[in-house]
């Protein structure tokens, strides 16, 4: 990790105990308020007691590690230029595999079958993290002052992507990034990682880069572009990047929650008024995929601003 980048202190990281979302009428509003503050100030928080067992997360990371360690000819079966492919392997400064993951039963037969436990272990994690994503998104929607069921049915039928990365071990003197600064095009991204390496732009500290330490058993939640649009800019999609480690390779699994490809996302009408005019045009995941094909220099979220 880049020693010049300060590490976020635990007191700066909002940690949400997911079980408290199910507690009494006094506890839940406090948790929802914490989520609101974290999304507004940092675009990021972490969750504990989220209901995904250590066995499920470790098995998913283990199967991905074994896949990434396969000979290149076995991974190149999934090497495509077309960003629309539902299963796609990419290799450059890192190895990456994208998997469409909902409904799991519709896609799992197209996933890698080597290692032999890949489909079972990633399928178990995909089902669990999707359930969790919808639960967290419900609390986030509530934190915006919207009805907790706002967009629920569309989100439950939406696109769920799993994107896993392996960042090779770096040399101690290297300043190369494993993944450059970007925001995610999702409502939220839930991140599982085998070690630290994530860095976020701290909106509260002159947009300084801060390293996010790994916390055993915790998952990271990142605000994505579509949540920024839905909130009419109240919540900001967090810029983040990855610094590889000189100690070992890093494997991470991002779970991206979206609506269906053609469904449009726009600022919630309840959050638009004379004092808060609409700040973003409507867009869809399909439009974003087309945008990627053109390789524009401007970021997609910037292109949506009115």
């Amino acid at each position: 990790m880049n020693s010049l980048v300060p590490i976020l202190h635990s007191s700066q990281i909002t940690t949400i105990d997911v079980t408290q979302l199910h507690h009494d009428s006094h506890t839940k509003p406090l948790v929802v308020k914490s989520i609101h503050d974290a999304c507004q100030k940092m675009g990021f928080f972490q969750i504990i007691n989220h209901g995904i067992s250590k066995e499920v997360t470790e098995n998913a990371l283990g199967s991905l590690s074994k896949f990434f360690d396969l000979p290149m000819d076995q991974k190149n079966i999934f090497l495509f230029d077309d960003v629309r492919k539902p299963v796609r392997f990419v290799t450059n400064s890192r190895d990456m595999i994208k998997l469409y993951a909902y409904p799991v039963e519709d896609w799992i037969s197209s996933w890698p079958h080597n290692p032999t436990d890949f489909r079972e272990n990633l399928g178990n994690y995909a089902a669990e993290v999707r359930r969790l994503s919808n639960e967290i998104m419900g609390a986030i929607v509530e934190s915006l002052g919207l009805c907790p069921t706002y967009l629920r049915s569309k989100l439950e039928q939406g696109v769920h992507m799993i994107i896993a990365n392996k960042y090779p071990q770096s040399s101690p003197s290297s300043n190369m990034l494993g993944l450059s600064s970007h925001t995610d095009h999702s409502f939220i991204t839930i991140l599982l990682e085998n070690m630290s390496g994530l860095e976020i732009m701290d909106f509260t500290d002159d947009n300084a880069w801060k390293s996010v330490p790994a916390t055993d058993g915790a998952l990271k939640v990142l605000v994505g572009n579509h949540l920024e649009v839905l909130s009419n800019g109240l919540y900001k999609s967090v810029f983040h990047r990855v610094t590889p480690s000189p100690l070992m390779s890093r494997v991470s699994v991002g779970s991206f929650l979206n609506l269906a490809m053609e469904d449009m996302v726009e600022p919630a009408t309840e959050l638009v008024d004379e004092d808060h005019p609409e700040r973003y045009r409507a867009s869809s995941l399909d439009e974003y995929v087309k945008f990627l094909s053109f390789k524009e220099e401007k970021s997609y979220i910037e292109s949506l601003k009115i």
Side-chain angles (χ1 to χ4, degrees):
M1 184 174 297
N2 189 340
S3 59
L4 299 178
V5 175
I7 299 173
L8 278 173
H9 189 268
S10 58
S11 63
Q12 298 173 280
I13 301 173
T14 298
T15 300
I16 300 298
D17 183 337
V18 177
T19 60
Q20 292 186 344
L21 290 172
H22 308 289
H23 282 192
D24 56 42
S25 58
H26 174 70
T27 303
K28 184 178 179 181
L30 296 177
V31 179
V32 171
K33 176 64 164 57
S34 293
I35 290 174
H36 171 88
D37 292 345
C39 289
Q40 188 173 26
K41 294 175 183 176
M42 301 282 282
F44 155 84
F45 58 93
Q46 67 179 10
I47 50 177
I48 59 173
N49 297 326
H50 42 68
I52 304 180
S53 71
K54 190 171 184 178
E55 180 182 14
V56 168
T57 58
E58 288 187 346
N59 285 348
L61 288 169
S63 290
L64 283 164
S65 293
K66 286 187 284 187
F67 170 79
F68 287 130
D69 288 341
L70 290 173
M72 192 59 70
D73 63 332
Q74 296 186 42
K75 294 180 286 188
N76 282 348
I77 299 169
F78 305 98
L79 189 65
F80 302 108
D81 290 331
D82 185 356
V83 296
R84 290 180 175 274
K85 287 289 186 180
V87 179
R88 181 172 179 249
F89 174 70
V90 175
T91 183
N92 37 51
S93 60
R94 72 192 195 282
D95 281 359
M96 182 274 282
I97 188 165
K98 177 191 78 175
L99 307 168
Y100 274 38
Y102 182 81
V104 170
E105 58 270 20
D106 287 358
W107 298 108
I108 198 166
S109 62
S110 62
W111 293 3
H113 57 80
N114 189 12
T116 55
D117 58 9
F118 186 96
R119 293 177 178 177
E120 178 182 3
N121 289 340
L122 267 295
N124 289 339
Y125 178 72
E128 289 290 305
V129 77
R130 180 176 174 80
R131 171 197 56 77
L132 177 63
S133 297
N134 281 312
E135 181 178 8
I136 297 301
M137 189 60 196
I140 290 174
V141 163
E142 193 171 350
S143 78
L144 285 167
L146 302 172
C147 173
T149 58
Y150 191 91
L151 288 183
R152 178 182 293 175
S153 60
K154 285 192 172 185
L155 282 165
E156 288 178 348
Q157 298 303 314
V159 173
H160 179 212
M161 281 185 285
I162 298 289
I163 297 181
N165 293 285
K166 180 182 179 181
Y167 303 91
Q169 182 178 343
S170 65
S171 67
S173 60
S174 174
N175 289 318
M176 293 287 292
L177 291 173
L179 187 59
S180 59
S181 170
H182 66 287
T183 59
D184 288 341
H185 196 68
S186 59
F187 279 98
I188 56 172
T189 302
I190 294 185
L191 183 68
L192 166 68
E193 55 191 353
N194 71 337
M195 64 176 299
S196 59
L198 175 68
E199 295 178 1
I200 66 167
M201 185 178 286
D202 186 351
F203 305 141
T204 68
D205 187 15
D206 293 327
N207 292 343
W209 284 104
K210 301 287 182 68
S211 175
V212 183
T215 303
D216 188 39
L219 297 170
K220 310 293 194 299
V221 180
L222 285 73
V223 170
N225 294 337
H226 265 161
L227 182 52
E228 179 172 337
V229 171
L230 178 72
S231 71
N232 201 31
L234 182 63
Y235 296 166
K236 292 290 192 298
S237 47
V238 62
F239 279 91
H240 55 287
R241 65 188 188 186
V242 173
T243 301
S245 169
L247 302 177
M248 60 183 288
S249 60
R250 177 180 183 268
V251 176
S252 67
V253 190
S255 170
F256 296 74
L257 185 67
N258 287 288
L259 299 188
M261 290 294 292
E262 306 290 343
D263 281 354
M264 304 298 282
V265 179
E266 59 188 349
T269 55
E270 296 87 340
L271 302 177
V272 176
D273 55 33
E274 288 185 5
D275 295 326
H276 305 90
E278 193 169 85
R279 298 178 58 192
Y280 303 83
R281 65 175 180 85
S283 68
S284 66
L285 183 59
D286 185 62
E287 284 188 9
Y288 171 68
V289 173
K290 291 175 182 175
F291 180 88
L292 287 180
S293 302
F294 292 115
K295 299 180 180 178
E296 299 280 352
E297 290 187 12
K298 180 192 289 188
S299 70
Y300 189 63
I301 191 65
E302 288 298 320
S303 75
L304 298 180
K305 292 181 178 179
I306 297 173

